[in-house]
């Protein structure tokens, strides 16, 4: 069994991370009734004997003593991390996993990347090495950060390069939250553009998430629940700390949005944690869905959209669930994959679903979807027998699809509006080590990426290649 380490950076990264660990504990609690530390738990948690001094000794088998998250928490402001440490998840982390400052990055990529990157590099590296040493078979780092802020975009992408240099064999999956066009951080286009260059060069897979899409999805859920999202929360939404008390998780405005992203990560790793008739390892996602190094941006859709059993939404029929996954309304970025070109697609199904159901729905949907001529059978599938808490089944679709291009084009357009006027540029150029050529290089990098998608789109009308197949005499 492999292990993964979650690195959550900045305010957004830590808030999503908090939701992720909360949901992960609930999910394992629903499956693990006997309180035994098993392979499924070991993928994201250590079992620690807290009676021993120091870090506590890890217990590989037997009853659960005290679960500690395989995580590193980084933020250049203390607020969110302190909140986590005072909340119901306080016992899941220890102070040796945290890096905080008090000044913040001032919504400036250069401060996060150049100043705090240099200042905290050795501390970050030490904590990453410690986390890696506590794994038997480390397979992946999951990095969660925003693109619009200073710490998330700057320090988050600095960290990527550190991981690539120090752990070149370990996969780097990034969940990056892109700002909406109405974002209140005026420098977010600069931060996002500079961060994009780093993601292009140093990530293995990027799961772009659009704040506007999350907001739209939650608005629809509000309508379904008659505007009573808060009232629909069940009273047993609880987390048990390892001192035996039960604490209710306080709900905040962004919790519903963060829950969707947390559920995306839970579904993505479900095959690595639980049994199933068709398992999909994380390395298979990268191997099958990324045919070219830079085209590693995977558009995700999740159905049911609110997989935590907190909202009274009627269950979707199985076939409808598959149709939803390809609809515009269920994408976690502003995109419509059905009208764009697929390079490859992965379907990660959870719950009581048969292989025959999976194949039947693929055959039903295939005629309406456009795949590149050289990869007409570009499907990767997974069946995990354990559904999300409160549901009989769920589906996560990951699409390497040219529909991500408009998101990048809009980002470039918003960036150029500021950059043509040189507005706010001095805030970046006064940071040691930051030069104006970094902006030009970032634009060039994104433009090259957009051009690659353009060239693929140009092949959309080409006929599928009729590949000769080997005939087997019976």
């Amino acid at each position: 069994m492999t292990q993964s380490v979650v690195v959550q950076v900045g305010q957004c990264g830590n808030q999503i991370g908090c939701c992720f660990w909360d949901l992960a504990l609930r999910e394992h609690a629903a499956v693990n009734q006997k309180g035994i530390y098993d392979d499924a738990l070991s993928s994201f948690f250590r079992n620690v004997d807290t009676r021993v001094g120091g870090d506590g000794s890890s217990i590989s088998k037997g009853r659960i003593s005290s679960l500690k998250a395989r995580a590193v928490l980084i933020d250049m402001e203390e607020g969110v991390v302190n909140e986590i440490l005072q909340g119901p998840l306080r016992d899941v982390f220890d102070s040796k996993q945290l890096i905080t400052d008090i000044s913040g990055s001032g919504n400036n990529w250069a401060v996060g990347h150049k100043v705090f990157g240099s200042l905290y590099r050795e501390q970050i590296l030490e904590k990453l090495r410690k986390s890696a040493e506590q794994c038997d078979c480390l397979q992946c780092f999951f990095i969660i950060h925003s693109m619009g802020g200073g710490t998330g975009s700057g320090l988050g992408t600095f960290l990527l390069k550190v991981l690539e240099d120090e752990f070149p064999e370990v996969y780097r999956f990034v969940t990056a939250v892109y700002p909406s066009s109405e974002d209140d951080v005026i420098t977010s286009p600069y931060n996002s553009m500079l961060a994009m260059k780093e993601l292009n060069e140093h990530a293995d897979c990027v799961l772009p998430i659009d704040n506007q899409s999350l907001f739209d999805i939650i608005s629809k859920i509000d309508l379904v629940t008659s505007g009573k999202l808060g009232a629909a929360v069940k009273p047993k939404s609880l987390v048990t700390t390892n001192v035996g008390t039960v604490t209710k998780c306080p709900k905040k405005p962004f919790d519903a949005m963060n829950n969707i992203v947390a559920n995306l990560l839970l579904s993505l790793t479900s095959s690595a944690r639980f049994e199933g008739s068709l398992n999909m390892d994380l390395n298979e996602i990268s191997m099958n869905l990324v045919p070219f190094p830079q085209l590693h941006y995977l558009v995700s859709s999740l159905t049911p959209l609110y997989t935590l059993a907190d909202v009274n939404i009627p269950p979707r029929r199985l076939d409808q669930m598959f149709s939803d996954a390809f609809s515009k309304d269920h994408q976690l970025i502003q995109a419509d994959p059905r009208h764009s070109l697929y390079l490859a697609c992965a379907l990660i199904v959870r719950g009581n679903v048969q292989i025959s159901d999976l194949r039947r729905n693929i055959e039903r949907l295939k005629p309406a979807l456009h795949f590149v001529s050289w990869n007409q059978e570009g499907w990767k599938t997974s069946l995990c027998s354990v559904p999300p808490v409160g549901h009989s089944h769920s589906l996560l679709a990951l699409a390497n699809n040219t529909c991500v291009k408009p998101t990048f084009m809009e980002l470039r357009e918003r960036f150029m509006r500021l950059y043509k006027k040189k507005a706010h540029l001095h805030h970046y150029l006064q940071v040691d080590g930051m030069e104006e050529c970094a902006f030009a290089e970032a634009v060039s990098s994104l433009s090259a990426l957009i051009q690659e998608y353009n060239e693929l789109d140009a092949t959309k009308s080409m006929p599928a290649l009729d590949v000769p197949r080997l005939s087997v005499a019976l």
Side-chain angles (χ1 to χ4, degrees), residues 14 60 83 106 128 198 214 221 238 272-273 286 368-369 371 385-386 390 405 414 429 461:
N14 278 291
S60 58
E83 241 174 71
L128 291 171
E198 304 300 315
L214 294 178
I221 291 172
L238 309 172
R273 294 180 292 127
S286 179
L369 306 174
F371 274 74
S385 57
V386 177
K405 182 178 67 172
R414 290 177 60 217
L429 300 182
S461 58

Side-chain angles (χ1 to χ4, degrees), residues 300-427:
S300 52
S301 61
L302 200 62
T303 176
L305 276 166
Y306 211 89
T307 52
L308 182 62
D310 280 354
V311 177
N312 299 317
I313 295 178
R316 305 296 272 170
R317 294 195 326 274
L318 189 62
D319 285 11
Q320 185 62 47
M321 184 179 79
F322 279 89
S323 298
D324 286 346
F326 292 88
S327 76
K328 185 179 178 181
D329 292 343
H330 283 67
Q331 308 306 313
L332 300 193
I333 66 166
Q334 303 269 293
D336 189 353
R338 291 172 303 183
H339 295 118
S340 299
L341 191 67
Y342 281 87
L343 281 72
C345 183
L347 300 178
I348 300 171
V349 184
R350 302 183 61 184
N352 185 22
V353 180
Q354 304 303 313
I355 294 177
S356 58
D357 294 319
L358 183 54
R359 288 177 179 157
R360 176 173 52 79
N361 274 285
I362 288 175
E363 290 304 316
R364 178 175 66 85
L365 293 161
K366 260 170 68 172
L369 306 174
H370 305 282
F371 274 74
V372 286
S373 59
W374 39 265
N375 196 24
Q376 289 288 301
E377 301 299 323
W379 297 86
K380 184 68 184 169
T381 54
S382 165
L383 278 179
C384 170
S385 57
V386 177
V389 175
H391 286 270
S392 58
H393 45 252
S394 74
L395 169 61
L396 167 65
L398 298 174
N400 194 335
N401 188 297
T402 59
C403 69
V404 75
K405 182 178 67 172
T407 296
F408 298 153
M409 291 174 69
E410 186 193 348
L411 169 58
R412 183 174 62 180
E413 190 181 318
R414 290 177 60 217
F415 169 86
M416 291 308 297
R417 281 202 294 268
L418 280 179
Y419 189 59
K420 279 177 182 173
K421 300 292 184 184
K422 307 292 185 188
H424 301 281
L425 209 59
H426 63 287
H427 297 302

Side-chain angles (χ1 to χ4, degrees), residues 201-219:
E201 295 176 0
H202 305 301
D204 288 309
C205 281
V206 179
L207 303 171
I209 309 292
D210 185 335
N211 249 337
Q212 187 61 48
S213 291
L214 294 178
F215 182 80
D216 290 347
I217 287 165
I218 294 305
S219 298

Side-chain angles (χ1 to χ4, degrees), residues 74 171 173 179 243 245 367:
I74 303 170
Y171 286 96
F173 275 62
V243 290
T245 60

Side-chain angles (χ1 to χ4, degrees), residues 111-130:
V111 173
H113 199 87
K114 303 288 185 180
V115 176
F116 288 130
S118 300
L119 190 61
Y120 284 100
R121 186 183 193 280
E122 292 309 312
Q123 275 190 56
I124 291 171
L125 194 49
E126 179 194 341
K127 293 186 191 313
L128 291 171
R129 283 176 178 156
K130 184 71 175 175

Side-chain angles (χ1 to χ4, degrees), residues 207-260:
L207 303 171
I209 309 292
D210 185 335
N211 249 337
Q212 187 61 48
S213 291
L214 294 178
F215 182 80
D216 290 347
I217 287 165
I218 294 305
S219 298
K220 290 188 187 87
I221 291 172
D222 270 330
L223 289 173
V224 171
T225 56
S226 305
K228 297 177 181 177
L229 186 60
V233 176
K234 295 183 180 178
K236 292 186 179 177
S237 296
L238 309 172
V239 172
T240 306
T241 68
N242 59 3
V243 290
T245 60
V246 176
T247 320
K248 184 172 285 192
C249 285
K251 288 284 167 187
K252 296 184 180 166
F254 286 104
D255 271 1
M257 292 165 70
N258 293 337
N259 269 339
I260 292 174

